[in-house]
């Protein structure tokens, strides 16, 4: 039985919600209810809703307003929005030592590893121990952290402009980045929508679950979210956006027959078709639909966009030939790479850091809820699911 978002809470406390059979073991907890989530829920056909709002209705909001929503469960009034942005600005300063640590990292290290180290470093420099303070401080510092990560890893560390924390989160990143030959306004528009779409995805996605699990042992917000970033860095999770654009570049043509041959080749080689499939969704992810609509408006003739347009048509048909694939449709990672590439981010290895930047908000808000609201404010206890012994007969040393 699949327990939906509201049914669970309406059930009597002792009514069974889910029956565990041996067949549920070693399935990655698929479908097993383990807790409640106050920030978002995902339905198989309509996708993610933030505090009740379908994601498509929120896509045009400034990211700061959506952070406010995830933390306060209501959209801000204009006054609250302004006050929240001012609060974010006041918290935004990133100490120079973060740049100093970045300078010591291997430049061929993956950007997600840099991001995780960067978040840990922020935590080592300034952890208050208050769940909410630390989560808000981290969110406020992410734009500069991201900008420094790009600049220093790319070897463009001279004359980095100072951080104007009075700007929006996205503007602060774009100003720090100071990329030549790009349209800053277009970049800000794409990034703003990107951040809103990726901030949260229910309680059970791997990175959020990992972050909350780490926090349940009372590790700091910074340690918990750095761990969550490591979870996000896997190609079946967040790094699928990098892998998807990499294979779009490999395909190199929007000809449907060639795209189909490519998809079949990937399947024959037992490689995932990135950008398709989902553990919960059973229709196209609305976050993909929003990004496709954005691409049709902003860059319909972009070569990579044309390829993903064809992939969106071809891959679900090919994937549905395999009955064990529960969802052959496009997921969130299909389109983001093409849009990021179009606005100037030519190196796909950075793409998952944008996912991570966005997800810090949802994970931060969920950690606060689990630590300070659940169980009447006592917080969820330390995570400790049960594993059944396998191939371990009791034995003794002679
Ligand atoms: N390409 C190839 N095989 C697939 C795909 C796909 N897109 N989707 C599912 N399968 C396989 C899957 O590996 C599994 O094989 P096996 O039985 O040999 O283990 C089988 O089909 C059944 O899987 P499902 O129950 O449909 O999906 P599951 O919940 O296990 O996995 C994903 C979900 C998202 C990990 C899987 O669909 C996938 O690997 N997709 C490609 C990678 C991707 O785009 N990930 C991003 C997901 C979103 N995000 O950002 O986190
Ligand atoms: C996410 O946004 O975290 C992904 O769609 C994966 C998931 O929900 O399991």
């Amino acid at each position: 039985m699949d327990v939906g978002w509201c049914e669970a809470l309406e059930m009597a406390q002792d009514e069974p919600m889910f029956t565990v059979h041996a067949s549920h073991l070693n399935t990655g907890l698929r479908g097993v209810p383990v807790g409640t989530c106050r920030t978002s829920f995902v339905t198989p056909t309509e996708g993610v809703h933030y505090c009740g709002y379908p994601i498509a209705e929120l896509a045009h909001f400034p990211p700061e307003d959506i952070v406010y929503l995830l933390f306060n469960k209501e959209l801000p009034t204009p006054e609250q929005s302004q006050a929240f942005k001012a609060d974010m600005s006041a918290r935004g300063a990133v100490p120079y030592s973060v740049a100093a640590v970045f300078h010591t990292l291997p430049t061929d290290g993956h950007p997600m590893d840099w991001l995780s180290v960067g978040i840990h470093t922020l935590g080592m420099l300034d952890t208050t121990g208050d769940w909410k303070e630390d989560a808000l401080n981290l969110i406020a510092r992410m734009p500069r952290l991201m900008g420094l990560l790009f600049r220093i890893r790319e070897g463009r560390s001279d004359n980095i402009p100072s951080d104007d924390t009075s700007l929006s989160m996205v503007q602060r990143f774009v100003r720090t980045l100071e990329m030549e030959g790009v349209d800053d306004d277009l970049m800000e528009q794409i990034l703003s929508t990107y951040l809103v779409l990726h901030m949260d995805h229910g309680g059970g996605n791997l990175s959020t679950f990992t972050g909350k699990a780490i926090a349940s042992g009372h590790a700091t917000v910074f340690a918990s979210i750095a761990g969550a970033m490591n979870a996000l860095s896997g190609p079946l999770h967040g790094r699928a956006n990098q892998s998807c654009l990499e294979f779009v570049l490999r395909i190199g043509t929007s000809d449907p027959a060639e795209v189909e041959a490519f998809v079949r080749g990937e399947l024959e080689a037992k490689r995932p078709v990135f950008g398709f499939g989902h553990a919960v969704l059973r229709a196209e992810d609305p976050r993909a639909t929003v990004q496709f609509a954005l691409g049709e408006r902003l860059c319909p003739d972009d070569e990579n966009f044309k390829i993903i347009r064809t992939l969106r048509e071809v891959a679900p048909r090919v994937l549905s030939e395999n009955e064990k694939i529960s969802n052959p449709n496009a997921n969130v990672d299909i389109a983001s790479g093409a849009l990021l590439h179009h606005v100037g981010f030519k190196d796909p290895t950075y793409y998952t850091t944008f996912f991570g930047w966005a997800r810090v908000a949802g994970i931060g808000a969920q950690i606060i809820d689990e630590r300070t609201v659940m169980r009447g404010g006592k917080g969820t206890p330390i995570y400790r699911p049960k594993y059944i012994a396998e191939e371990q007969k009791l034995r003794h040393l002679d």
Side-chain angles (χ1 to χ4, degrees), residues 112-123:
M112 282 304 284
D113 294 335
W114 279 55
L115 183 60
S116 179
V117 170
I119 290 173
H120 258 307
T121 307
L122 284 176

Side-chain angles (χ1 to χ4, degrees), residues 63-64 85 89 143-144 147 161-178 184-185 187-189 191-192 195 357:
E64 289 83 350
K85 283 175 187 149
S89 301
R144 181 66 169 181
S162 58
D163 187 15
D164 180 354
T165 60
S166 69
L167 297 175
S168 75
M169 296 197 320
V170 168
Q171 283 169 336
R172 279 173 62 202
F173 168 71
V174 172
R175 298 294 186 279
T176 302
L177 198 61
E178 212 182 29
D184 279 0
D185 289 341
M187 185 181 274
E188 285 167 22
Q189 203 179 332
L191 285 178
S192 192
L195 289 184
W357 174 10

